[in-house]
Amino acid sequence: MVSPMALLARTLASAADTPLSARPLHAHYPVVPGSLTAHLQLRTGEVFTGGSFGASTATIGETVFTTSLVGYPESMTDPSYRGQLLVFTQPLIGNHGVPRRTRDQYGILKHFESEKIQCSGIVVGDYATKYSHWNAVESLSEWCEREGIPAITGVDTRALVHILRGQGSTLGSLSVGAQPIDSAKIAWSDPNVENLVAQASTTEVRVFNPDGDVHIALVDCGAKNNIVRSLCDQGARVSLVPWNYNLSASLDSFDGIFISNGPGSPSHCTEAIAQLRHAFEVYQRPIFGICMGNQLMGLAAGIDVYKLRFGNRGHNQPAIDLTTGRCVITSQNHGYALDDSKMPAGWDRLYVNANDGSNEGIRHIEKPFRSVQFHPEARGGPLDTAFVFADFVNDVRAAKLAGVAATAHAELAAEPAQAAAAAA
Ligand SMILES: NC(=O)CC[C@H](N)C(=O)O
């Protein structure tokens, strides 16, 4: 008689021996009973068949995967996932339902990172048909259906991730129906050719925590709610400004500048990059960027950006602080990275990813300008780097109290007045 352990070892060994191309790419886990058939088709030809548990609609997106174990409501509402089909490597998704839409003292949704689902669709191994959580008000399926987002379950996400790791993030089509759509008839459009930041950003200035003692301009490239909250929690008044806001015209009214995360390729944000380039020349108070913010600051400083093969998305990415040697575990969601192999004069690398060596942040050597590629605001994810917000707002406050003029122009303008006062 063969022991269960020996049987398991034999099964695993034979699965490992079978080339991926010879394994069936079909429903792997049981699908939702009574659900419609859905298909995930990659542009490269692979077809995964499963069950639909979201909206009965077809969509196209860049197929990307996240290794996060928790936080599907936060990830799905993260504007940086706009235009993407989000694959969860964690097989069981949906088991805690979807939370209530309560707001905090700043009027920001407590349990979501923006007002709506931002990814184009979701792909899961094993959708949990039963959910349980004290704060849940609906199922993941009901939420997706209500917001018009297609969702597929029963997909062998291990095989799918294997493909995506090999060939890189790939365009995918998610559709509901008995048969897959003829690939030749799909209008394969790459969302990254669009300026997704312009779609995700606010179009008007919005003020949070108006009584804060320091005034931060938060450039909204598709900011996650917890970035706004984290700055407010540090006592700052936050003006959320559009991604292409004319900062140059109002630098003197801000004690600090913060650039948010955002979707798609940073190369479309030429206006924001030009604004930052100017700010780097004249601004004297702290500037900080997160993720897209790191990329835009890098581009403004003269650093190139490139697309990673499959990106880093998850809540367990190790980043090493190059100033201290300390390693922090970080939340991440990005497909592009700064090429920090050559740094422009005046700038240095700040953090490096301990897994793949990609850039995790930069800093100006003399001025208070720095940025990180990871997400200190987490949601979901570890809180190791939450200190970033306290450090930034404390630096802003210290600069203000020390009387550092916001811009070198203001200092020059102040000089004749001071000279006149001294002479009087
Ligand atoms: N989270 C982000 O800000 C992501 C930045 C950019 N869209 C990328 O994928 O690299």
Side-chain angles (χ1 to χ4, degrees):
M1 170 143 166
V2 187
S3 74
M5 284 312 288
L7 256 182
L8 177 65
R10 211 182 283 169
T11 314
L12 291 177
S14 75
D17 287 348
T18 314
L20 194 68
S21 54
R23 287 184 226 159
L25 299 179
H26 53 60
H28 181 76
Y29 294 96
V31 298
V32 183
S35 72
L36 299 167
T37 303
H39 302 280
L40 168 70
Q41 299 168 243
L42 298 185
R43 190 179 197 173
T44 39
E46 299 86 351
V47 180
F48 291 82
T49 301
S52 163
F53 68 98
S56 291
T57 173
T59 191
I60 290 168
E62 180 187 10
T63 317
V64 300
F65 65 89
T66 174
T67 57
S68 60
L69 300 179
V70 293
Y72 55 83
E74 292 92 329
S75 294
M76 289 167 63
T77 53
D78 174 350
S80 296
Y81 279 117
R82 214 180 159 86
Q84 297 179 328
L85 294 178
L86 182 55
V87 181
F88 291 94
T89 62
Q90 154 72 2
L92 191 71
I93 295 290
N95 53 326
H96 56 85
V98 176
R100 200 176 298 278
R101 285 175 73 87
T102 31
R103 293 185 185 265
D104 66 10
Q105 71 268 39
Y106 312 114
I108 306 167
L109 282 173
K110 261 187 181 173
H111 306 294
F112 303 94
E113 288 310 303
S114 68
E115 295 292 317
K116 59 174 190 180
I117 301 178
Q118 300 276 354
C119 57
S120 317
I122 57 169
V123 180
V124 311
D126 193 5
Y127 172 63
T129 49
K130 291 194 187 116
Y131 68 88
S132 168
H133 192 270
W134 65 271
N135 198 28
V137 288
E138 63 183 339
S139 70
L140 177 56
S141 171
E142 287 164 330
W143 187 37
C144 287
E145 227 173 310
R146 206 166 44 72
E147 298 219 2
I149 302 296
I152 184 172
T153 179
V155 170
D156 183 350
T157 48
R158 289 168 298 188
L160 174 56
V161 168
H162 200 105
I163 293 168
L164 296 177
R165 283 181 61 99
Q167 67 192 28
S169 302
T170 307
L171 282 183
S173 149
L174 188 49
S175 62
V176 180
Q179 297 299 327
I181 306 174
D182 178 355
S183 182
K185 298 209 172 111
I186 298 175
W188 294 106
S189 55
D190 184 352
N192 291 315
V193 302
E194 292 170 53
N195 184 350
L196 298 175
V197 162
Q199 296 172 19
S201 172
T202 182
T203 49
E204 56 190 29
V205 178
R206 295 178 60 204
V207 177
F208 297 85
N209 197 32
D211 298 329
D213 66 332
V214 285
H215 189 192
I216 309 293
L218 172 54
V219 179
D220 181 17
C221 299
K224 284 170 70 184
N225 279 341
N226 205 33
I227 294 182
V228 184
R229 181 184 297 110
S230 299
L231 292 169
C232 292
D233 279 349
Q234 293 300 324
R237 166 192 166 113
V238 176
S239 287
L240 188 73
V241 303
W243 70 279
N244 54 356
Y245 188 71
N246 190 354
L247 275 177
S248 306
S250 50
L251 282 174
D252 290 320
S253 43
F254 299 114
D255 302 315
I257 298 169
F258 208 98
I259 326 294
S260 83
N261 63 293
S265 167
S267 59
H268 300 296
C269 300
T270 44
E271 288 155 272
I273 295 165
Q275 293 291 334
L276 280 170
R277 202 171 285 137
H278 176 248
F280 288 165
E281 278 170 25
V282 300
Y283 201 62
Q284 311 196 109
R285 289 184 179 171
I287 303 180
F288 200 97
I290 288 179
C291 205
M292 176 62 88
N294 182 51
Q295 297 165 4
L296 296 181
M297 284 178 64
L299 285 166
I303 306 170
D304 287 338
V305 79
Y306 66 100
K307 196 161 195 303
L308 294 161
R309 185 144 47 108
F310 48 84
N312 282 327
R313 298 176 181 85
H315 299 155
N316 56 353
Q317 289 284 333
I320 297 171
D321 178 341
L322 295 169
T323 61
T324 61
R326 194 169 147 233
C327 182
V328 283
I329 300 299
T330 67
S331 179
Q332 300 202 6
N333 165 18
H334 61 103
Y336 295 84
L338 290 178
D339 173 6
D340 63 9
S341 55
K342 299 183 293 293
M343 293 297 286
W347 291 85
D348 205 353
R349 301 185 306 156
L350 180 55
Y351 283 91
V352 64
N353 186 302
N355 283 345
D356 64 9
S358 60
N359 177 265
E360 291 289 356
I362 56 172
R363 70 181 175 95
H364 194 281
I365 291 166
E366 285 156 8
K367 298 177 187 173
F369 308 156
R370 36 178 60 201
S371 52
V372 292
Q373 188 57 48
F374 53 80
H375 289 269
E377 81 287 357
R379 289 292 172 111
L383 302 176
D384 289 33
T385 52
F387 64 84
V388 157
F389 294 99
D391 286 359
F392 171 74
V393 177
N394 285 339
D395 287 350
V396 167
R397 200 167 275 133
K400 185 175 183 178
L401 290 175
V404 175
T407 61
H409 291 160
E411 212 167 54
L412 292 178
E415 266 168 20
Q418 279 163 10

